[in-house]
Amino acid sequence: MKTVTFYTLGCKVNQYESEAMEEAFLDRGYRAVGRDEGADVFVINTCTVTHVADAKCRQAIRRAKRKNPQAVVAVVGCYVQVAPETVRAIEGVDVLIGTKGRDRIVDAVEEVSATGKKVEDVVDLDRVRRFDELGIATELSTTRAAIKVQEGCEMYCSYCIIPYARGHMASRDQGAILDEVRRLVRKGIKEYVLTGIHVASYGKEKAPDGQVEAERPRDLIDLVEAVAKIPGVERIRLSSIEPRWVTPEKLLRLAACGKFADHFHLSLQSGSDRILKAMNRKYDKALYLEKIREIRKVFPHAGLTTDVIVGFPGEIEEDFRETLAFVEKVGFSKIHIFPYSKREGTPAALFRNQVPPSIKKDRAARLAEREIVLRHAFMDRMEGEEVRVLFEEGGDKGNMEGYTGNYLRVRMKRKETWVNRIISGRIGKREGDVLHFEPEQ
């Protein structure tokens, strides 16, 4: 039996796609092994969001060939899509597939095994507007499953390479999504995360030729409601969404479905209107704050997480201080911090006044200090609140851990029968980054 191993970089979408590709190999008789076991096939699912991600991809390719010189090395994903010449030039690469056509990866690998010739499939994304059906029938987690519902992005933020790596927006057929959820419900999965490259645009692209517009969902909210109606689905989350998607009407519908987790990841990127405009973001601070207030009217204890880029070209100390003040005003429960990474092919790469690395590092550290204070403050405010927790495998010293709807990690003494169950109780004291949980008696 041939063996296969995966090395995945990047976002939740990449993680989902790797699991789907792994399942395709298993269905064809392969056995999955760890990366240190010298597999017959190495699949490296790449990311290109930063220079660091690019470097990790190249290192992973070279490491795979050293581990087993006879292995077939397949490199797929975003880095391949935007820099095929660079990847092709790395010694030991046998298969190159971009961000389309990964459903054919097993055939490509077996073609290399049979012929000894390289296989390359990197399409022009301007000519492709389809959603590649690459679903999962067996989720590796026992409690939570990510469901990819959308592909591509056409926002063209000035710093972002993703529209060039992922191509045009394409929504997955709702029937296929619901079928996948039903399969995973039968396997006992309780929580579902609807994810995509720009998930808020689900259903918004032009209908393909021959498809009636009325047959397609009008919005992501329609999909959430459809998933919520499936018996056995107990909790639904959304991955990162644009602030402009949020409206009072949608929030009320999310609350009414009864299964939506009160956690919103609203990408911010900067607390300076001047920098937001230079980034080509489609909102300002006033609109963002309005959306936060709308969320808290319906979900008063909502967990609010975000992404912030520090050191964007032209960002001066005053802009950064505006960001510090704004995140304080919002009161985020968690902030993901990224020093700006120059990406060739994006408008921002040509901007003047690139910020020196030392300043980016300093600002990232200062924001990280503020993030810890905000995160702990949110956790402390939750003490004594009634919550529902989905418990998972893991924990230590006789403990078990799980997550609240607003995405706080809690811990309590282990009860085997509570794994993969949603339990009601109250939040106890905080201990570092974990909250104690007091179940109802």
Side-chain angles (χ1 to χ4, degrees), residues 132-191:
D132 279 1
E133 187 58 46
L134 197 64
I136 297 175
T138 305
E139 178 64 26
L140 300 182
S141 166
T142 59
T143 58
R144 181 184 301 116
I147 306 292
K148 182 182 173 185
V149 304
Q150 182 273 341
E151 177 64 278
C153 179
E154 296 175 16
M155 300 301 289
Y156 292 100
C157 299
S158 64
Y159 56 83
C160 188
I161 196 70
I162 296 304
Y164 310 96
R166 288 284 182 166
H168 295 288
M169 298 186 304
S171 297
R172 188 179 181 186
D173 176 71
Q174 179 173 299
I177 296 169
L178 301 182
D179 285 345
E180 182 171 340
V181 173
R182 292 187 188 101
R183 287 195 300 271
L184 295 174
V185 164
R186 289 194 290 271
K187 296 179 182 297
I189 303 296
K190 300 291 194 298
E191 180 174 305

Side-chain angles (χ1 to χ4, degrees), residues 7 23-24 32 34 41 56 99 128 142 154 188 204 208 234 254 258 272 294 314 317 325 363 367 372 382:
Y7 182 71
E23 188 168 291
V41 179
K56 287 182 177 180
T99 52
V128 180
T142 59
E154 296 175 16
K204 295 303 182 184
E234 296 194 26
L254 289 175
S272 162
E294 289 173 356
E317 180 64 20
R363 290 176 183 169
L367 182 55
I372 292 172
M382 287 297 296

